């Protein structure tokens, strides 16, 4: 039944579990636009896929057209794609030398509009946004503002976490802490951030991972049984990729990120850092 959004959801989740290419899943969505638009979880998954493919402007515009409602398991999904679209658009502006426009986009990313249906998760640091905003201000000659933003980008826990729960600090926030510390001249502290990412990945790569019996706050919809050990392998390779990227070992970083994408074809962060480096 091509008009049944629940069936669409289950089939797309199966495609995702089978590691179908993102381009193929996007074509599936675009074949049935009225069906996936019936559900917030499908709608945000489509936006996530668009952002994966670099269609950030489309993703942002679709986000702003819809009023989202909180749902169990959906925490942080709309806001993450909101930040992703705006920060990636800001990177494009920075690359083009349009620092003022980049700063404007990043300031927008720091304020969640009401239509997203939720506010900031407790403990959110937004290291990536403040680091990029610092770059924009540095280009604009706003040195004091840039240093203040690098300081904001350098805070937070420097201990990597696993991939089970949505409210764990994202690993790339540690990566941006390191980049910000480098900008502040604190090279030893920066190197420590990058090395912790590598060390965690190396130490936990061969772990056998199972969902805790009383686990809550898992970020993915569990229609089918999941292989958490494979997800852990992808996550550890991703962390090793980030750490190597931070220390400038680009070849090894890309090799790690390629392995992440081989294990998880829809790993959005691995795709971002494999494509543009930060």
């Amino acid at each position: 039944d091509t008009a049944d959004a629940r069936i669409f959801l289950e089939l797309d989740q199966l495609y995702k579990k089978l590691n179908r290419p993102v381009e193929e899943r996007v074509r599936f969505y675009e074949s049935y636009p009225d069906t996936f638009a019936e559900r917030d979880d499908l709608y945000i998954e489509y936006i996530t896929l668009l952002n994966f493919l670099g269609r950030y402007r489309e993703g942002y515009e679709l986000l702003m057209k819809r009023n989202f409602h909180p749902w169990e398991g959906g925490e942080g999904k709309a806001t993450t794609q909101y930040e992703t679209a705006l920060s990636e658009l800001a990177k494009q502006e920075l690359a083009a030398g349009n620092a003022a426009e980049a700063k404007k986009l990043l300031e927008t990313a720091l304020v969640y509009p009401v239509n997203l249906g939720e506010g900031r998760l407790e403990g959110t640091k937004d290291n990536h946004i403040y680091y990029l905003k610092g770059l924009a201000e540095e280009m604009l000659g706003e040195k004091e503002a840039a240093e203040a933003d690098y300081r904001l980008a350098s805070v937070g826990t420097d201990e990597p976490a696993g991939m089970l729960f949505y409210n764990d600090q994202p690993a790339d926030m540690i990566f941006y802490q390191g980049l910000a510390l480098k900008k502040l001249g604190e090279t030893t502290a920066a190197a420590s951030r990058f090395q912790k990412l590598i060390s965690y990945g190396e130490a936990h790569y061969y772990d056998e991972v199972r969902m805790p019996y009383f686990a809550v706050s898992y970020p993915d919809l569990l229609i089918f049984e999941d292989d958490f050990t494979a997800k852990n392998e992808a996550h550890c390779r991703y962390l090793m990729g980030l750490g190597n990227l931070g220390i400038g070992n680009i070849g090894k970083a890309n090799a790690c990120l390629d392995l992440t994408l081989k294990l998880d074809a829809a790993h959005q962060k691995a795709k971002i850092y494999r494509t543009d480096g930060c």
Side-chain angles (χ1 to χ4, degrees), residues 18 58 136 178 229 238 263:
L18 292 172
E58 289 177 71
T229 296
Y238 166 60
L263 290 163

Side-chain angles (χ1 to χ4, degrees), residues 160-175:
M163 44 78 225
L164 280 180
F165 306 115
Y166 79 89
N167 52 359
D168 287 332
Q169 176 181 259
D172 54 335
M173 297 303 100
I174 299 174
F175 171 69

Side-chain angles (χ1 to χ4, degrees), residues 49-266:
L49 296 174
L50 291 183
N51 281 341
F52 181 97
L53 295 177
R55 294 163 61 178
Y56 304 116
R57 182 66 63 184
E58 289 177 71
Y60 175 72
E61 290 174 354
L62 286 173
L63 273 170
M64 300 309 293
K65 288 179 180 178
R66 188 178 183 97
N67 289 319
F68 292 89
H69 305 86
W71 75 93
E72 182 68 24
E75 298 91 341
K77 290 189 181 296
T79 54
T80 295
Q81 296 312 311
Y82 173 78
E83 286 192 350
T84 297
L86 287 169
S87 60
E88 291 302 310
L89 287 170
K91 286 181 192 177
Q92 293 176 0
E93 296 295 343
L94 284 172
N98 301 325
E101 181 60 26
K103 183 177 178 179
K104 181 179 177 182
L105 288 165
L106 294 162
E107 288 172 341
T108 301
L110 289 168
V111 180
Y112 291 172
V114 174
N115 71 291
L116 297 184
E118 64 177 300
R120 283 188 142 57
L121 296 173
E122 187 173 349
T124 299
K125 302 300 183 187
D126 292 318
N127 305 73
H128 56 320
I129 296 176
Y130 285 115
Y131 174 77
L132 294 170
K133 188 162 167 277
L135 292 182
E137 287 160 344
E138 198 171 347
M139 289 176 65
L140 292 167
E142 302 169 2
K143 293 184 178 180
E144 289 185 5
E147 183 175 346
D149 276 331
Y150 291 143
R151 290 287 175 199
L152 289 171
S154 70
V155 302
T157 178
D158 60 355
E159 294 297 332
M163 44 78 225
L164 280 180
F165 306 115
Y166 79 89
N167 52 359
D168 287 332
Q169 176 181 259
D172 54 335
M173 297 303 100
I174 299 174
F175 171 69
Y176 276 103
Q177 289 174 27
L179 294 182
L181 288 164
K182 283 174 69 174
K183 281 289 188 180
L184 293 167
E186 300 177 29
T187 55
T188 301
S192 172
R193 299 305 196 279
F194 302 136
Q195 188 56 52
K196 283 190 175 185
L197 291 167
I198 296 170
S199 297
Y200 184 98
E202 291 176 341
H204 294 279
Y205 182 74
Y206 295 103
D207 289 356
E208 291 189 15
V209 182
R210 295 178 181 175
M211 172 69 81
Y213 185 77
F214 290 107
V216 296
S217 304
Y218 183 63
D220 291 332
L221 183 63
L222 291 178
I223 296 174
F224 307 101
E225 187 174 342
D226 222 336
D227 185 345
F228 293 104
T229 296
K231 281 185 170 291
N232 176 70
E233 291 176 10
H235 181 66
C236 287
R237 287 291 185 185
Y238 166 60
L239 265 60
M240 293 159 66
L242 286 179
N244 278 286
L245 191 62
I247 64 176
N249 194 343
I250 305 303
K252 190 166 185 179
N254 287 341
C256 288
L257 296 172
D258 285 342
L259 284 168
T260 300
L261 289 164
K262 183 177 180 180
L263 290 163
D264 181 359

